[in-house]
């Protein structure tokens, strides 16, 4: 579904930053690894970082049946999921006009507990979200592990996408006074992979891991 | 103040991940650039990415007087501020035991509107948080800019710090069956700086920018 479809997700200010493109929504979600998930607990906000997976217009979150947060989410509350990708630092001539370059998604919705029969498919989406292709290489998930996992889904039906990668826009009166301005771009790189033990040292690096590293060199 | 000082911040599960060290709290805050700030709006959670600055045991958040979020924060609600640093991907033999390496801080508190006389000091902390030393190089902040900015503070009195950089811990029965396991470390790198215009191309790169790049090569 396209972003920006409710009064809550419509940008009142700086509307030039908002994107109504589904491709941007999917790209920010799929290119990143961690979401900050907000829920109301005893009237106060709680924000916790979580990994996630996407399948079509559904986002999945998961955790242990022993986790307080997961039990909170399993009660199907309203949640807000925020995913942010830092792209760089915009250094203007004034600190007032300085800021971040980023792409971000905010998702509003109700958590929906995933039923036992749909759990395996959701877990696959979660695994794909972290490391595409890994699921086929890894030791298969056991029934016990599945039972120990709570998965909740949220629809991508009420979302807002912001892309702020605009140029430095210092006002006329700040120019030609000897102040520097520019952009420091960021890039998340993967370092050298560290095999866990002797067995792993002797095995080839799995294709999913190699692809992940190659895409972040 | 030390982390982990309330029932809300005490980790029930996986307590080995929690840190009670003030040094860890400050380090996660100071080494990162973006927080996800949660607030309750009309009974539902709202989570927005924001830059921040720290001065002692106070965290500052800021934005425009025209921003709905800032007006919400100016009403001094309960907030939850979550700062997460991804360190790597832990690829276990099973997807069940796989996950992220990260350091994270969660701060609970009440937003406190910063008064006009304290605003300049808070803005300096915010600027230092983004790019240490930049404040002295940049065009000074004007009264008009100060008036157009809302700043709120939150005390670092109720915080939780998690450091999850543990080794792959596959159970015995997963070993020696031909499954690979290891860690993919991440590192955020700064790319080549991009001067904004001809004036900036002719000026030397400011020391604050050079230090930032050098620390992230």
């Amino acid at each position: 579904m396209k972003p920006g479809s409710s009064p809550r997700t419509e940008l009142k200010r700086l509307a030039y930053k908002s994107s109504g493109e589904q491709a941007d929504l999917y790209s920010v979600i799929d290119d990143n690894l961690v979401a900050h998930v907000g829920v109301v607990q005893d009237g106060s906000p709680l924000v916790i970082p979580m990994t996630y997976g996407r399948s079509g217009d559904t986002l999945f979150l998961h955790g242990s049946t022993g986790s307080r947060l997961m039990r909170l989410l399993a009660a199907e509350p309203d949640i807000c999921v925020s995913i942010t990708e830092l792209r760089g630092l915009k250094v203007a001539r004034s600190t007032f006009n300085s800021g971040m370059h980023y792409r971000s998604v905010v998702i509003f919705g109700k958590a929906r507990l995933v039923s036992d029969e749909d759990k395996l498919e959701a877990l696959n989406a979660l695994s794909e979200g972290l490391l595409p292709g890994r699921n086929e290489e890894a030791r298969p998930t056991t029934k016990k592990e599945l039972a120990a996992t709570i998965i909740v889904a949220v629809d991508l039906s009420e979302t807002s996408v912001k892309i702020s990668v605009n140029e430095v826009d210092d006002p006329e009166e700040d120019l030609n006074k000897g102040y520097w301005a520019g952009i420091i771009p960021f890039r998340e790189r993967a370092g050298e992979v560290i095999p866990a033990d002797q067995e792993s040292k002797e095995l080839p690096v799995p294709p999913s891991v190699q692809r992940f590293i190659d895409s972040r060199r």
Side-chain angles (χ1 to χ4, degrees), chain A residues 46 61-62 69 74-75 80 93 95 105 133 141 144-145 156 168:
Chain A
L46 174 67
L61 306 166
H62 78 314
L69 173 68
C80 180
R93 287 170 170 84
T95 58
V105 165
T141 301
K144 200 178 153 190
E145 289 170 347
L156 300 179
V168 175

Side-chain angles (χ1 to χ4, degrees), chain A residues 188-202:
Chain A
E188 192 157 87
R189 302 287 186 101
E192 284 302 307
V193 73
I194 305 161
D197 43 36
Q198 197 53 39
E199 181 188 12
S200 301
K201 274 182 199 149
E202 289 166 9

Side-chain angles (χ1 to χ4, degrees), chain A residues 62-76:
Chain A
H62 78 314
S64 164
T65 49
S67 142
R68 280 185 295 182
L69 173 68
M70 287 316 300
R71 291 196 301 258
L72 206 59
L73 292 178
E76 307 196 321

Side-chain angles (χ1 to χ4, degrees), chain A residues 29-34 51-52 126-134 137 187-194 205-217:
Chain A
I29 293 175
D30 297 349
D31 289 354
N32 289 284
L33 295 166
V34 168
T51 58
Y52 58 84
L126 282 153
S127 176
E128 285 293 299
L130 221 50
L131 199 55
R134 179 62 185 156
E137 302 161 355
R187 215 177 134 194
E188 192 157 87
R189 302 287 186 101
E192 284 302 307
V193 73
I194 305 161
V205 171
S208 69
V209 173
Q210 196 58 55
R211 278 195 303 270
F212 186 94
I213 294 168
D214 289 343
S215 69
R216 283 172 174 81
R217 276 209 196 278

Side-chain angles (χ1 to χ4, degrees), chain A residues 147-158:
Chain A
T149 305
I150 291 175
I151 308 178
V152 297
V154 59
D155 292 332
L156 300 179
S157 54
E158 196 183 348

